[in-house]
Every structure is written in C-alpha cells, then in structure tokens.
C-alpha cells in the first residue's frame, strides 16, 4: 500500500487486526458449539417432536450445509446481533445480556476506580521511597493479590464485614424493600437512583456494591500499583529528573510535575487492561455475591447446558476485551509523540 | 557453618575459576545459581512451602488421620480440634485435615498436567514460527495473538462447558488458554539464536531443521520458559480452583480445594472453617509459586529482575 499516508496504513492494519481477532473468537465459539455433546436440533424443538419436524429444523438451522458455510451463517447472525434464543430464559440472548450487563459494568467500573485511586499513589510513593516500608507494603499487597483466590476472599469478606461486623449489606444488588422503586435509566443502580433523587435506594445499593467492588478494586490495585512503581522508577532514573532536582525544584514538582506527567500514557494503557481484566474477573465475584450480572448469567447458563447464552456471553466479553486492548493501543499511539 | 574437608573440596571444585571439563562448568553454573537463589529468603520460603506440600501429597495416606471420603453425619461441622479432627469436619462429617492432604495431590496433578502440555505447545509453535519465518511465522503468530486476546477464564469456562466437567477437561481448557505467552517467548528466543554462528556451523555439518530446532534451539529456550511457567503456576492453580468452585473442575466427592470451598460456602456464616481452610491452602501454594518464580527470575534472568 505505497500510495496511502502512514496514518491511514496504520489504521487499516489495526482494523484488519481487530477483524481477524474477532473472527478468530467467533471461530472458536463456533467450534465449541459444534463439538459439544448436545444436539442443537433437540435443544430447539424438544424431545417429543416428530422426525419430519426434526429434519425440517435440521435444514432450517443450516446443519446440512458444509462447515464453512455454517460458519458464514453464524458470523452473519452474530454480526446482526443474533445470538439465538436462551433455552433457560426463553428470551433472545441479546435481550438477556442487555439486561444483565449494566450490573457487571457498574461493579467493574467502581472496582477500577477504587484500584486507580489507591493504586496509583501507592505505586508512585513506593517508587519515590524505594526500599522504605511503604515500598515493602506495596510489594506485599501485590503478592497477596496475585496469590489469593478471589472467590475465597469474597467469602471471607462476607463473613467478616457482613456476618461479624455488619458494616455492609449481604449478597445481592439491593435489599428486598428497595426493589422496583427506581425506574431504570442506565441500568446502573447507583447512577439511576442518584438521577432520580432516591437517596435511600442509593444508600442501600451502595452498601451492597461496596464490598464486591472493593475486592475487585484490590486486584486491580495490586496490578496498577506494581506497574506504576516500575514506570516511575524508570522515569526517576533519567537525566531530566536529575536536572529538575539540580534546578532546585521541590520534590513534589519533580515527582508529580515531571516524572508522573511522562508516565500518564503508559498508565492509561495499564488501567484499560486492568478494567478489561475486571470485566472478566467479576465472574467468580458475582457468583459469591449473588450479583445479577453477566458472570452470573454465563455460569448459570453453563450449568443448565444453555450453550447459546454461554457462547453469546463469551463473545460479548471477548469483544469488549479485544476492544479495550485495541483502544488502549490507539490511545498510546495518539498521545505519545514518539510513535507518530 | 562447619564443613568437612570433602565438602570443602567439592565447593572449591564447583567455584573453580578454570573448569577443566564441560561437566564441571555446567555444575559450577548451577551451583552459583543456587547460591544466588539461596540468599533470597522469600524464594527459599516458597521452595520450603512447596517441598512441604509435595511431601504432604506423597505421604497423604500415612499423614491423614481419617479416610477423606468417610462420611459420619453424627460428626458433621465439628470445629477444629473437636473429637480428634484437627481442622474440623465438613457438612458430611468428613475430616477436613485428611481431605486437605488428599486435595494437595489433585492440585499437584493439575499443575503437572498443565505444565506438561501448555509450555510444550508454546515451545513447538514458537520455535517453528521463529525458525521457519515467512508466511508460517505470520500465520502462527496471528493465531497466537488471537488466543492471547481472549479472556482466559471465560474461554476456559466455555471449553469446559463443551467438553464436560472434570479434572482432565479443566486441564485441557486451561492449557488451551495458557500456551500463547510461551509461544511468544520461544519465538523471541529463536529469532535471536537463529542466525548465530553455531547454528550456521551445525547446518553446514548437515543437520536438518528438526535436529537444529529440537537439539540446539529448544535447550536455549528452556530457562526463559521455566521462569514464566513458575510465575504462571499460581495463576493456573487459581484458575483450576475457580473452575472447581464453579462445579466445572473436579467433581464431588473429590477433595479438590476449590470444590471444597464451594461445599463450605453455604455454611460460611456459622461454620467458617469449612470454606476458609481450603482457601488458605490454595493461597499458600500460589504464594509459594509466586515467591519461587520471583527468585528463579533473579537467578536465571538477572536483566528482567525488579529494577
């Protein structure tokens, strides 16, 4: 492509990468759908259908076509937002996912915010005071975060903060008295109740979300602080920082005005990745806290052999995952003058 | 430290500046690595925990105080220490301490299986990709990137859903999602080795691609893979436990730790130990692997260590 300007070529390459990755994702889910030991025809028509109905549905589903053609049909359906029907709920998988997704988004977003607010300063201070107790603390926090099973931490959290101390509400998204009061706008309870001015509902929703969100936040805190620390160490070792110090700038100006300014872009990439990981990592947390989000939806469907829902959920999370990855990559390119 | 003349001799032989044989040089480099590793207290702690765990797994039948599968409803949900049950009993009256010991076998089994499959797949894909170059390289790396872009736990969930629940399928699902980073590492190593003089020399002597890759490139990829695998083990254990917790890994009555947590979950508010104790075991083993991995990285790959 010699005639294209470089930025257009890069954009086209990115688009091609995204398309290939998503096509690959669809191929994997398609193959999973084909190898599973459940007859897709019986799943649609039920056990007591006649042979003619069976044959008709078999043809309608395109199962008599070659595998590649079937894959084409599948890709076409998915691109039109058709993941098929859920056997468990009897609704379109797309409708189901639209209903449960805001709960996951709310949880993961709050978790990431907690991770940023605590993780970034911790990482910066750990790098500036390298080897001090706060650096050890950051290392310790990270090590525990990488080694602790998240579902177990959730259980222990429930035991301590709900069972023993009673500081937070138990599993679920909202207490039984508050359900159905707030008309959904975004589907995210904290935002909706605030917009509608229902502060008692907001308070209850907050006391339900704070524990699972803090746990997820802890995991992204572990990751974000570790990366922040290593980025900062790299910057603090450079000559311009020495120059700034020699010029007589205060430590605060050197750290936040110079070194931190230069890691912002790298940090955004890390935060985007942490966010994507939380969307996925919330699966186990949602189970523990009976949180009616996408993770609960996928696992409940899984145990009910409802493959359309499982694969639909996998595609949605996979696509978001890929999307966030690409987005952070683009952001990096856009903001970092060296990559232009 | 008191040392007898013979160990003193061994030590100086190992630390000799001028090794007289290839074997001596190799042992010497291992010994120096061990000395570095030994000075890392945390890594040694990790190693000790793992050694203890392997010991517990091997001698589980001797160390166990009860049959891990024997139910006794009269003795259910006993607190730790009651009636000779060191860590208490679960909802079916099974001894938690004994189940924990036998569960260590399952965890080690899972880790060993994944470690045998995933790095090998990654090694093959990565070295073939790096050595062959051209369209093979492009194709294989694109596939690797696609797998790398997937959310791992979700994909493992979908795989297990398709294949059916069970330990072997969980291992397969974890391996299928775990190999891409190894392929990346192996490819990077291969690219740096591929054009070195000794490879040219072997090729001139008539060695075919298969021999070059398996006998001369693989050995050099091992150390970077070992570091990565050790650091990944914690993740593997956590994923396996997560699958077990969801009821998709080891099936009851198997004393797999994740499944044990899942069983104890219902009683968490009144009988905390049933779910808490297996979690501590999972935490200990993955912490140990993380510490060990950090230590190994310092020994085998000094340039990648924490700045």
């Amino acid at each position: 492509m010699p005639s294209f300007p470089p930025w257009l070529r890069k954009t086209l390459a990115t688009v091609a990468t995204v398309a290939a990755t998503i096509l690959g994702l669809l191929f994997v889910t398609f193959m999973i759908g084909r190898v599973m030991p459940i007859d897709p025809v019986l799943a649609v028509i039920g056990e007591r259908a006649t042979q003619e109905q069976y044959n008709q549905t078999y043809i309608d589903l395109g199962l008599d076509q070659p595998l590649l053609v079937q894959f084409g049909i599948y890709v076409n359906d998915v691109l039109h937002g058709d993941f098929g029907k859920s056997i468990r709920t009897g609704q379109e998988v797309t409708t189901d996912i639209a209903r449960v997704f805001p709960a996951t988004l709310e949880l993961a977003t709050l978790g990431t915010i907690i991770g940023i607010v605590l993780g970034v300063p911790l990482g910066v201070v750990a790098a500036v005071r390298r080897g001090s107790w706060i650096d050890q603390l950051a290392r310790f926090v990270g090590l525990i975060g990488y080694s602790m099973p998240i579902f177990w931490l959730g259980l222990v959290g429930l035991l301590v903060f709900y069972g023993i101390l009673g500081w937070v509400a138990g599993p679920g998204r909202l207490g039984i008295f508050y359900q159905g009061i707030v008309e959904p706008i975004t589907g995210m309870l904290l935002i909706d109740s605030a917009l509608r001015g229902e502060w008692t509902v907001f308070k209850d929703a907050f006391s339900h979300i704070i524990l699972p969100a803090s746990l997820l936040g802890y995991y992204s805190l572990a990751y974000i602080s570790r990366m922040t620390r290593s980025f900062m160490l790299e910057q603090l070792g450079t000559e311009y920082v020495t120059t700034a110090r020699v010029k007589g700038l205060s430590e605060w100006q050197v750290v936040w005005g110079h070194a931190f300014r230069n890691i912002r872009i790298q940090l955004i990439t890390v935060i985007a990745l942490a966010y994507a990981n939380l969307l996925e990592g919330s699966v186990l947390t949602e189970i523990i806290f009976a949180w009616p989000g996408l993770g609960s939806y996928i696992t409940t469907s899984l145990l009910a052999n409802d493959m359309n829902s499982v694969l639909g959920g996998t595609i949605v999370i996979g696509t978001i995952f890929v999307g966030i990855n690409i987005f952070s990559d683009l952001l990096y390119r856009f903001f970092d003058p060296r990559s232009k | 430290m008191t040392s007898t003349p013979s160990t003193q001799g061994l030590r100086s032989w190992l630390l000799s500046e001028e090794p007289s044989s290839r074997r001596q040089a190799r042992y010497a480099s291992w010994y120096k690595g061990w000395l570095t590793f030994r000075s890392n207290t945390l890594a040694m702690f990790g190693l000790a925990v793992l050694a203890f765990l392997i010991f517990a797994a091997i001698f589980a039948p001797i160390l166990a105080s009860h049959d891990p599968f024997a139910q006794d409803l009269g003795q259910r949900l006993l607190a730790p220490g009651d009636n000779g049950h060191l860590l208490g009993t679960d909802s079916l009256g099974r001894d938690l301490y004994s189940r924990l010991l036998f569960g260590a076998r399952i965890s080690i089994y899972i880790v060993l299986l994944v470690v045998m499959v995933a790095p090998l797949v990654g090694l093959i894909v990565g070295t073939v990709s790096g050595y062959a170059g051209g369209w093979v390289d492009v194709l294989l790396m694109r596939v690797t990137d696609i797998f790398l872009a997937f959310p791992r736990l979700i994909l493992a969930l979908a795989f297990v859903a398709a294949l059916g629940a069970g330990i072997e399928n969980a291992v397969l699902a974890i391996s299928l999602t775990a190999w891409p980073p190894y392929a990346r590492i192996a490819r990077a190593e291969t690219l740096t080795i591929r054009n070195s003089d000794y490879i040219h020399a072997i090729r001139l002597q008539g060695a075919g691609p298969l021999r070059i890759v398996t006998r001369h490139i693989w050995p050099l990829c091992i150390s970077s893979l070992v570091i990565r695998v050790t650091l990944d083990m914690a993740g593997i254990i956590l994923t396996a436990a997560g699958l077990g917790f969801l009821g998709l890994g080891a099936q009851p009555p198997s004393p797999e730790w994740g499944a044990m947590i899942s069983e104890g979950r219902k009683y968490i508010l009144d009988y905390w130990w049933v779910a808490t104790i297996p979690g501590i075991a999972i935490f200990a083993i993955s912490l140990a692997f993380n510490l060990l991995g950090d230590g190994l990285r310092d020994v085998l790959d000094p340039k990648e260590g924490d700045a």
Side-chain angles (χ1 to χ4, degrees), chain A residues 28 32 35-38 299 302-303 305 307 310-311 314, chain B residues 152-177 239-240 242-244 246-251:
Chain A
V28 171
I32 290 176
V35 300
M36 64 174 189
I38 303 166
T299 14
L302 201 62
L303 297 174
N305 279 331
M307 282 314 278
V310 174
L311 295 182
T314 308
Chain B
R152 279 174 72 168
L153 180 66
I154 298 279
L155 202 64
L157 279 181
F159 274 124
V160 175
L163 302 169
I167 294 187
E168 280 78 13
N169 288 342
V171 166
L172 199 60
I174 296 172
S175 306
L176 277 171
T177 54
T239 311
L243 289 175
L246 292 174
L248 297 169
Q251 296 298 302

Side-chain angles (χ1 to χ4, degrees), chain B residues 229-254:
Chain B
V229 168
T230 318
L231 285 171
D232 278 357
M233 295 244 210
I236 292 168
I237 287 165
L238 293 182
T239 311
L243 289 175
F245 175 75
L246 292 174
L248 297 169
Q251 296 298 302
S254 159

Side-chain angles (χ1 to χ4, degrees), chain A residues 17-216:
Chain A
T17 313
V18 176
T21 312
I22 289 181
L23 208 63
L25 175 71
L26 290 180
F27 186 70
V28 171
T29 53
F30 172 75
M31 288 317 285
I32 290 176
R34 284 295 163 274
V35 300
M36 64 174 189
I38 303 166
D39 188 336
V41 180
L42 286 184
V44 172
I45 58 173
E47 298 276 340
R48 270 177 279 169
T50 61
Q51 188 63 38
E52 285 88 60
Q53 282 173 316
Y54 185 93
N55 292 344
Q56 188 57 43
T57 317
Y58 190 81
I59 294 168
D60 286 348
L61 288 175
L63 293 173
D64 55 335
Q65 307 278 340
L67 212 57
L68 210 60
V69 177
Q70 288 188 35
F71 180 57
I73 298 172
Y74 178 72
V75 171
N76 189 40
D77 283 350
V78 169
L79 290 182
H80 287 90
D82 179 9
F83 296 126
K85 268 204 164 118
S86 159
I87 302 164
R88 191 168 56 89
T89 64
Q91 282 181 313
E92 291 289 328
V93 171
T94 330
T95 321
D96 278 347
I97 289 179
R99 180 170 45 84
V100 297
F101 188 64
T104 298
L105 194 64
E106 187 174 33
L107 189 60
T109 309
L110 193 60
T112 308
I113 292 173
I114 294 174
I116 298 169
V117 167
L118 297 175
V120 173
L122 183 64
V124 171
V125 175
V128 174
R129 309 238 167 120
R130 194 174 158 196
S132 69
W133 67 268
I134 205 150
D135 190 16
Q136 300 296 335
L137 177 79
R139 199 188 137 108
F140 182 72
V141 163
L143 206 54
I144 303 283
Y146 284 117
S147 311
M148 195 90 85
I150 192 165
F151 51 99
W152 180 73
L153 198 59
L155 275 178
V156 174
L158 266 182
L159 173 69
V160 174
F161 294 106
Y162 168 65
I164 298 174
L165 297 172
W167 288 356
V168 298
R173 240 182 134 189
L174 209 52
I176 194 140
F177 301 116
Y178 299 99
Q179 268 163 14
I181 293 180
V182 176
E183 195 71 19
I185 305 170
T186 59
M188 288 183 264
L189 277 174
L190 286 180
I191 296 178
D192 288 357
S193 55
L195 285 177
R196 302 257 186 220
E198 298 279 359
W199 294 106
T200 50
V201 179
F202 181 86
K203 217 176 128 196
D204 188 62
F206 185 77
S207 93
H208 276 92
I209 201 174
I210 188 66
L211 186 58
S214 304
L215 286 176
L216 286 176

Side-chain angles (χ1 to χ4, degrees), chain B residues 13-14 16 18-31 198 205 211 215-216 219:
Chain B
W13 181 74
L14 282 169
S16 155
E18 291 153 354
S20 56
S21 70
R22 200 195 278 186
R23 198 163 53 106
Q24 185 183 357
R26 186 185 302 155
Y27 288 157
S29 84
W30 285 353
Y31 183 65
Y198 84 91
Q205 286 172 10
R211 187 181 173 85
R215 303 294 290 276
H216 298 279

